């Protein structure tokens, strides 16, 4: 069983440079920092409530992560879900015939891990991890939501349920943007399946150009968005004023991915209309 998001991973050119944002400006705590020679990467985990942000930097040129960075630049790489029994999950996935990158678990930064092939998840690279005993643990809310762009919503909803055991609990139509948002809870974080409701909608156009998959962003709930915006601006980051977001009764403002080494940081305050 999958019970929450463990981490999202961002591929960066230099972890040391990226930490100047994630650790020094966002104020996150590094919980692990290791070079995994067999995979040719350095990985760092930063805690955010029950979730973590993983930074990965290739240390050799002959790796999949190095090619990903060369092709796509610094951006979101995968979403990792936590389980307490990875072997049971893998037995279930293999029995279902889900196309996997790893059919057996191996050691990774987050514990015993395995990757599902993105073909099986509508373009999303999914990692499943069973953390080691004594790993960082928190019951505080971490991410508010992540966004996944899907071309065929009905098919994607079925895949998320069958493959990960995670179900849509709420569908929100946003007519002004010709899009639908389907919320899939994983722990205290919502994964939003976002789809166009008309062929000419901006989301449908984006998918036609770039394909389905993760949107390189994470949303974080804040209590006082104006104070947060002022704090990031004082640190030299550009952010628009808070404005009404797509979710009901909420305002948002985003630090763009090009300022953060690949991950748009959307701040969201609920209970405020504008
Ligand atoms: Co990972």
């Amino acid at each position: 069983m999958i019970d929450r998001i463990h981490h999202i991973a961002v591929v960066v050119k230099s972890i040391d440079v990226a930490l100047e944002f994630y650790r020094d400006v966002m104020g996150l705590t590094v919980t692990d920092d290791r070079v995994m020679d067999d995979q040719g990467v350095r990985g760092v985990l930063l805690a955010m409530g029950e979730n973590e942000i993983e930074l990965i930097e290739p240390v050799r040129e002959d790796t999949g992560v190095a090619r990903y960075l060369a092709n796509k630049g610094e951006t979101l790489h995968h979403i990792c879900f936590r389980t307490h029994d990875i072997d049971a999950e893998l037995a279930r996935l293999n029995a279902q015939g889900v196309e996997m990158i790893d059919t057996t678990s191996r050691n990774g930064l987050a514990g015993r891990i395995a990757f599902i092939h993105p073909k099986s998840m509508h373009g999303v690279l999914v990692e499943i991890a069973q953390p080691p005993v004594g790993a960082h643990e928190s019951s505080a809310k971490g991410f508010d939501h992540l966004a996944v762009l899907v071309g065929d919503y009905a098919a994607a909803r079925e895949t998320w349920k069958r493959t990960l055991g995670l179900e849509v609990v709420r569908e929100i139509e946003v007519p002004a943007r010709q899009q639908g948002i389907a919320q899939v809870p994983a722990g205290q974080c919502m994964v939003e399946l976002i789809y166009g409701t008309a062929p000419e909608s901006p989301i449908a156009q984006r998918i036609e150009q770039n394909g389905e998959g993760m949107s390189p962003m994470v949303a974080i709930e804040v209590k006082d968005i104006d104070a947060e915006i002022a704090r990031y601006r004082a640190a030299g980051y550009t952010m628009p004023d808070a404005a009404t977001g797509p979710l009901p009764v909420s305002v948002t403002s985003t630090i763009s991915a090009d300022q953060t080494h690949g991950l748009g940081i959307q701040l969201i305050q609920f209970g405020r209309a504008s």
Side-chain angles (χ1 to χ4, degrees):
M1 201 193 103
I2 282 162
D3 66 348
R4 68 166 63 152
I5 287 166
H6 185 278
H7 65 264
I8 54 173
V10 187
V11 176
V12 298
K13 286 182 200 149
S14 162
I15 284 180
D16 289 329
V17 173
L19 282 174
E20 292 172 9
F21 175 73
Y22 293 97
R23 181 193 57 205
D24 302 342
V25 179
M26 282 188 85
L28 305 180
T29 303
V30 172
T31 57
D32 205 349
D33 183 348
R34 260 189 291 157
V35 173
M36 283 160 292
D37 283 316
D38 56 327
Q39 291 159 53
V41 298
R42 175 185 171 198
V44 159
L45 286 170
L46 297 128
M48 183 186 284
E50 67 175 19
N51 307 126
E52 301 188 58
I53 292 177
E54 179 180 83
L55 303 176
I56 34 184
E57 172 191 335
V59 295
R60 287 202 316 263
E61 289 307 311
D62 60 336
T63 63
V65 170
R67 283 189 293 275
Y68 191 93
L69 180 63
N71 290 336
K72 305 200 173 191
E74 297 183 307
T75 192
L76 193 56
H77 184 259
H78 62 264
I79 306 179
C80 178
F81 294 91
R82 183 180 79 165
T83 177
H84 292 292
D85 190 346
I86 188 138
D87 294 322
E89 286 302 312
L90 284 170
R92 184 182 61 75
L93 291 164
N94 290 327
Q96 282 180 20
V98 174
E99 190 175 342
M100 305 291 294
I101 291 173
D102 304 297
T103 51
T104 55
S105 64
R106 57 186 169 89
N107 285 322
L109 195 61
R112 293 296 294 174
I113 63 141
F115 280 92
I116 301 175
H117 199 286
K119 269 189 216 163
S120 309
M121 287 299 303
H122 303 265
V124 179
L125 179 57
V126 168
E127 177 184 10
I128 297 175
Q130 179 180 339
V133 175
H136 158 79
E137 177 84 39
S138 169
S139 57
K141 181 175 173 178
F143 309 150
D144 183 76
H145 64 268
L146 303 172
V148 171
L149 308 186
V150 298
D152 181 341
Y153 166 54
R157 183 182 56 197
E158 228 4 74
T159 299
W160 278 73
K161 182 177 167 183
R162 191 182 59 243
T163 309
L164 301 176
L166 300 174
E167 294 197 54
V168 171
V169 294
R170 185 183 183 204
E171 292 172 343
I172 301 163
E173 289 258 351
V174 190
R177 299 178 188 223
Q178 292 181 300
Q179 74 181 42
I181 299 172
Q183 295 183 316
V184 181
Q188 296 172 80
C189 176
M190 287 288 182
V191 178
E192 294 185 340
L193 306 181
I194 301 180
Y195 51 97
T197 51
E200 69 278 12
S201 69
I203 290 292
Q205 300 286 322
R206 243 171 92 184
I207 291 171
E208 201 168 295
Q209 276 177 6
N210 305 320
E212 296 186 296
M214 298 168 292
S215 180
M217 64 80 73
V218 61
I220 296 159
E221 183 180 353
V222 294
K223 294 278 176 272
D224 183 348
I225 196 166
D226 295 330
E228 288 294 320
I229 291 170
R231 190 174 74 78
Y232 282 107
R233 283 178 179 165
Y237 292 82
T238 301
M239 295 186 79
D241 288 335
T244 305
L247 293 178
V249 205
S250 67
V251 290
T252 70
S253 178
T254 299
I255 311 170
S256 58
D258 61 313
Q259 300 180 81
T260 67
H261 305 277
L263 184 67
I265 306 290
Q266 184 195 86
L267 306 181
I268 183 164
Q269 182 179 341
F270 291 105
R272 206 181 114 181
S274 73

